[in-house]
Amino acid sequence: MTEAHRAAAGGESGQRASRSRQETFFDALHATLDAVGRTQEVIARRAGVGASTMSCYSTGRRVPVLENLEKIYKVLEAEGVDQGIKLPHSLSDLLDLRLEAELEKRFPEAAAKVPHRMESAIPSAVEAALVEPAVAPVPPDEGDRRNSVTRYAADIADYARHLAAGRIRDAHSHAWFMGSSLPSSDFPLAVASYRQAGAEEAVETMLNAAADRDVQASLNITAALLEEGHLGDARALLSALRDDA
């Protein structure tokens, strides 16, 4: 469990279960804001964030957008250095908590599908999503989904041929089509396939295409990514959805 989860949740499993993800995030944010002893107005001004926006963040009416949270944290971090104090939560911890809060606020149905898994597994799950994608067990008659590159070998080969021939636009269109047409249940496996093949740019394009789909489809894909442990990809998709909102 991360430092943020231990501190914000009070170390009691019963408390964690009873508090919403948004409450957990805002508890951590408030603790970090309070640690430096500066007023909201001062922090907002130094971070280049509007006073009313900062008020919404501090009162829990709005989950901070990613860019603003990072700017606010930079101000708090600089204050901590000047004052010789250690902030109670790292930026990484706050970003993970923010992901949970954003998911719960925007997509409560998707959040309900991963009730408390993220509270205890965020660091390992993020690492697993970037290194070795998790896979769900399937019945024997459906084949071994772990052999993901084999399942999408033809698609990956087409993408690679476009790149090798210098057809960058065609390669981008290929990845966009995948992201805009794949069923949500197939999305994590496809992402894992392209990532294993070294096609990271294709993965980014697929996630952007997923964010461009209708809200329900994007919600379903987000939930599927979370269920397979792809928290980094879920965060990227949520950020793209936020920018489009």
Side-chain angles (χ1 to χ4, degrees):
M1 182 178 294
T2 65
E3 173 190 348
H5 288 100
R6 287 195 300 269
E12 296 293 334
S13 59
Q15 283 182 298
R16 288 199 305 269
S18 64
R19 297 185 65 74
S20 71
R21 289 181 172 89
Q22 293 178 69
E23 289 172 326
T24 299
F25 166 71
F26 285 115
D27 282 350
L29 179 61
H30 293 159
T32 308
L33 290 169
D34 294 343
V36 301
R38 299 295 184 186
T39 65
Q40 295 178 22
E41 290 77 11
V42 170
I43 295 172
R45 184 174 67 253
R46 293 181 180 176
V49 175
S52 61
T53 298
M54 188 70 181
S55 176
C56 288
Y57 296 162
S58 64
T59 56
R61 295 197 301 273
R62 287 171 56 187
V63 176
V65 297
L66 185 62
E67 180 183 4
N68 284 352
L69 180 59
E70 290 176 338
K71 291 193 295 186
I72 290 169
Y73 193 87
K74 286 181 179 179
V75 172
L76 299 176
E77 192 172 39
E79 282 287 344
V81 171
D82 291 343
Q83 298 178 32
I85 61 175
K86 181 181 178 181
L87 298 179
H89 304 287
S90 68
L91 177 59
S92 177
D93 287 342
L94 287 178
L95 290 175
D96 285 331
L97 289 169
R98 176 196 168 277
L99 172 60
E100 297 184 38
E102 180 85 354
L103 176 67
E104 182 182 70
K105 186 178 180 66
R106 293 175 61 90
F107 309 126
E109 293 182 12
K113 294 182 179 181
V114 282
H116 296 290
R117 171 182 174 182
M118 295 169 70
E119 289 195 343
S120 60
I122 280 183
S124 59
V126 171
E127 183 178 355
L130 296 176
V131 179
E132 184 178 356
V135 293
V138 296
D141 59 357
E142 292 185 22
D144 188 355
R145 286 177 58 191
R146 288 173 295 182
N147 196 5
S148 57
V149 174
T150 298
R151 178 173 177 180
Y152 289 99
D155 296 304
I156 294 171
D158 286 342
Y159 177 81
R161 279 194 289 271
H162 288 315
L163 289 180
R167 298 190 297 268
I168 307 301
R169 180 174 297 179
D170 289 339
H172 176 84
S173 297
H174 168 99
W176 188 272
F177 175 78
M178 293 290 289
S180 61
S181 60
L182 279 171
S184 59
S185 58
D186 291 346
F187 212 90
L189 190 60
V191 165
S193 301
Y194 279 79
R195 181 167 282 126
Q196 280 185 311
E200 195 65 39
E201 289 187 6
V203 172
E204 181 179 352
T205 300
M206 290 163 65
L207 291 170
N208 287 333
D212 201 49
R213 293 165 73 162
D214 66 80
V215 173
Q216 185 61 52
S218 298
L219 181 156
N220 292 339
I221 292 170
T222 301
L225 289 169
L226 288 170
E227 288 171 353
E228 293 291 339
H230 294 258
L231 297 194
D233 294 326
R235 177 186 292 132
L237 179 50
L238 284 173
S239 295
L241 285 169
R242 181 208 70 221
D243 293 340
D244 291 342

